[in-house]
Amino acid sequence: MRILLTGSTGWLGRFLAPRLRSAGHSVVGLDVAPGPDTQVIGSVADPAVVEEGFAHGIDAVVHAAALHKPDIVRYPEQAFIDVNVTGTRNLLSAAKAAGHDRFVFTSTTSLMISQTVRDEAGNAAVWLDEQTGPLAPRNIYGVTKLAAEGLCRIYANEHGLPCVVLRTGRFFPEDDDTLREPSGENLKANELLNRRLTVEDAADAHIAALTRAPELGFDLFVLSAPTPFSRSEVRELKSDAKTVIARHFPDAASLYEKRGWTLPTSIGRVYDASHAERRLGFRCQTGFAQVLDALRDGKPLPFAHDPGYTSPALAN
């Protein structure tokens, strides 16, 4: 198939484009910034840019372009509405008109995090899966991504366009824009316990979604590295995470100590990606166990860390 990949110059796009080609597809990249896999320069908010992309004889869309949480300090709310909501609608409308049988949308677990969840004020970790709700996104990023998910649902249910929504956990390479302790690599390693996946796994999940979309019709999946924890451990995770981690990974503390890292003392949320494993047939290949393997064997860490990374910017 000839795939229109939006966000082709971004962090996910640069891993996803070659994987799409390896799967036998040709790729037409669309992004606001030039890149090696980008043929159409412009915003999905502009119908003319979307029309230019579809002029390449597109068979399916993987829509990964978006303004993200770090962009809140760079752009006004209207820009988020234009790109994340109107842009998604432009692509869905064009895909419907072209008679497509699949559409894959990159969403975010961030929209599941209300201020209450973020504050982690309860006495147990919050277990987050596709049934979590009611949803109350805490910023314009989450609000617009949730609205875009709703558009995908409408186009699937009312217009017969099979849509798969992937709510991805964290896979960005840069440092967290709010947390300073622990340090970047240490934090990313910790998050593979409960809320992160690698960009490679995120890209592979999109390939799986593209393949399965026609038979799924509409479905929505939380994507994160497989958590070792169970729902029965949520109270202990909140009060004494180190003991729970030691139960699953007895040598984690000693390996971390040699690296000069710290394990979390409390974990306030856990993403459950088991629905993707059951229905999509996809399971992330990299998790916390692979981090420990790397520490144990003195090998490179199995995830990317780039404090200087900045996502492509909109044209002025």
Side-chain angles (χ1 to χ4, degrees):
M1 291 185 293
R2 185 176 295 272
I3 310 299
L4 180 64
L5 171 62
T6 72
S8 51
T9 303
W11 180 243
L12 176 60
R14 68 182 64 179
F15 288 85
L16 184 47
R19 277 168 163 75
L20 285 167
R21 286 194 294 269
S22 294
H25 306 297
S26 58
V27 179
V28 176
L30 186 159
D31 204 296
V32 295
D37 291 299
T38 299
Q39 291 77 41
V40 180
I41 307 294
S43 172
V44 293
D46 184 347
V49 171
V50 171
E51 183 178 354
E52 180 183 352
F54 272 76
H56 289 260
I58 299 303
D59 300 306
V61 176
V62 176
H63 179 26
L67 290 184
H68 300 279
K69 179 180 174 286
D71 293 316
I72 291 174
V73 298
R74 296 202 285 172
Y75 302 110
E77 287 184 351
Q78 187 61 51
F80 280 81
I81 295 169
D82 293 343
V83 173
N84 294 355
V85 183
T86 303
T88 302
R89 190 265 174 189
N90 289 342
L91 290 161
L92 287 164
S93 178
K96 171 183 172 292
H100 287 182
D101 67 349
R102 67 198 74 195
F103 187 101
V104 178
F105 175 60
T106 312
S107 190
T108 173
T109 54
S110 179
L111 62 80
M112 303 166 68
I113 309 305
S114 65
Q115 191 61 48
T116 300
V117 174
R118 187 173 188 270
D119 290 342
E120 298 185 354
N123 59 5
V126 178
W127 198 266
L128 296 160
D129 61 17
E130 294 80 4
Q131 304 307 312
T132 298
L135 300 178
R138 70 186 188 279
N139 55 40
I140 190 65
Y141 171 52
V143 167
T144 53
K145 294 297 276 188
L146 182 58
E149 286 188 3
L151 287 170
C152 289
R153 190 184 305 272
I154 286 173
Y155 270 78
N157 293 342
E158 298 185 5
H159 302 295
L161 173 62
C163 294
V164 176
V165 174
L166 301 178
R167 282 187 187 163
T168 62
R170 294 178 159 205
F171 60 82
F172 55 78
E174 66 267 34
D175 284 326
D176 189 282
D177 60 350
T178 56
L179 297 176
R180 295 293 177 262
E181 296 293 337
S183 63
E185 287 184 333
N186 188 169
L187 179 61
K188 286 182 172 64
N190 290 356
E191 288 176 340
L192 282 168
L193 284 163
N194 65 310
R195 61 181 299 193
R196 175 173 282 274
L197 70 163
T198 66
V199 66
E200 293 88 352
D201 278 334
D204 287 341
H206 283 72
I207 304 296
L210 187 70
T211 301
R212 296 289 303 280
E215 63 188 271
L216 293 174
F218 176 86
D219 213 334
L220 183 154
F221 300 97
V222 169
L223 291 181
S224 188
T227 181
F229 308 131
S230 68
R231 288 179 183 265
S232 64
E233 296 173 310
V234 291
R235 289 184 178 273
E236 196 177 2
L237 280 169
K238 187 63 189 298
S239 63
D240 187 8
K242 286 186 177 180
T243 294
V244 184
I245 294 168
R247 185 183 304 141
H248 294 277
F249 305 101
D251 63 344
S254 61
L255 291 170
Y256 262 50
E257 185 177 3
K258 291 177 183 177
R259 184 84 177 199
W261 283 1
T262 58
L263 287 165
T265 58
S266 176
I267 290 177
R269 71 186 80 158
V270 177
Y271 296 150
D272 179 357
S274 59
H275 178 57
E277 188 168 352
R278 291 189 303 269
R279 181 146 165 82
L280 185 59
F282 177 82
R283 178 183 173 92
C284 290
Q285 296 300 303
T286 301
F288 190 70
Q290 285 67 45
V291 172
L292 296 186
D293 288 343
L295 296 180
R296 195 179 294 113
D297 300 336
K299 295 179 179 179
L301 294 169
F303 56 82
H305 176 62
D306 181 2
Y309 176 79
T310 302
S311 60
L314 294 173
N316 292 325

